[in-house]
Amino acid sequence: MVQCPCDSGSYFDECCGPIIGGLPASTPEALMRSRFTAYARGELDHIERTHAREVREKYNRSATESTANSVDWTRLEIRGCDQGCEGDDTGTVEFVAHFKQEGQPMVHHERSNFRREDGLWVYVDGTMNPK
C-alpha cells in the first residue's frame, strides 16, 4: 500500500485513487486533493475531466503536461475550506502545493472555487496568493 500524495495520511487506494479512477468526489476538498495527486502522478485525464465546462473548453493539455513533467510535487497543505457540504452547490478550498522545479523548492498558493455540475464537483477557477 502506498501513501496518498495528497498528505491526507491515508493510502492512495482508499483516498484519491478511486476519485482519479472516476468515482465522484464527496467534497471540494476531496476533489482538490485528487487533483493535486493527479498532477503528482501525471494523471492528466483527471485534471481535464474535473474542470468546469467553460474551463475544459480552454484547457491546454500540452501546457499542463509541460508543467506536470517539469516539477516534483512534494506536499499539499490545506489551509481552509468554505461550504462544499451536502446541500451546497459551491465551495472553496485554500491550499498551498509545495513542489520543486529544477531542484528549487517553490509553492503554489491558491483559493480555488468549485461548483456542482451535473451533480459532480468541478474546479471553476482560483485566486493566486490570496490574502
Side-chain angles (χ1 to χ4, degrees):
M1 300 289 276
V2 176
Q3 288 290 311
C4 196
C6 79
D7 289 312
S8 66
S10 297
Y11 293 114
F12 173 77
D13 291 342
E14 300 166 349
C15 189
C16 294
I19 299 169
I20 291 171
L23 291 179
S26 59
T27 64
E29 180 181 347
L31 183 59
M32 180 63 246
R33 288 181 178 281
S34 73
R35 287 172 57 84
F36 173 86
T37 298
Y39 274 112
R41 295 173 53 99
E43 306 261 359
L44 301 182
D45 289 343
H46 178 66
I47 300 301
E48 186 170 6
R49 182 176 64 246
T50 58
H51 281 311
R53 278 185 198 98
E54 66 275 14
V55 179
R56 266 193 314 271
E57 291 171 1
K58 301 174 198 168
Y59 180 68
N60 185 330
R61 177 70 178 237
S62 63
T64 303
E65 286 174 350
S66 177
T67 299
N69 292 330
S70 69
V71 301
D72 178 23
W73 299 97
T74 58
R75 184 167 65 95
L76 178 64
E77 175 187 345
I78 301 294
R79 293 256 175 109
C81 301
D82 187 34
Q83 298 181 308
C85 299
E86 189 174 326
D88 291 333
D89 289 325
T90 62
T92 62
V93 178
E94 183 177 345
F95 70 93
V96 179
H98 298 261
F99 62 97
K100 288 185 179 181
Q101 189 167 29
E102 297 180 3
Q104 297 298 313
M106 304 181 91
V107 298
H108 173 90
H109 183 188
E110 182 177 326
R111 181 176 296 120
S112 297
N113 298 304
F114 297 86
R115 74 168 180 249
R116 288 191 197 265
E117 199 169 88
D118 299 325
L120 303 174
W121 287 109
V122 293
Y123 173 83
V124 178
D125 61 17
T127 303
M128 299 279 289
N129 303 315
K131 302 281 181 215

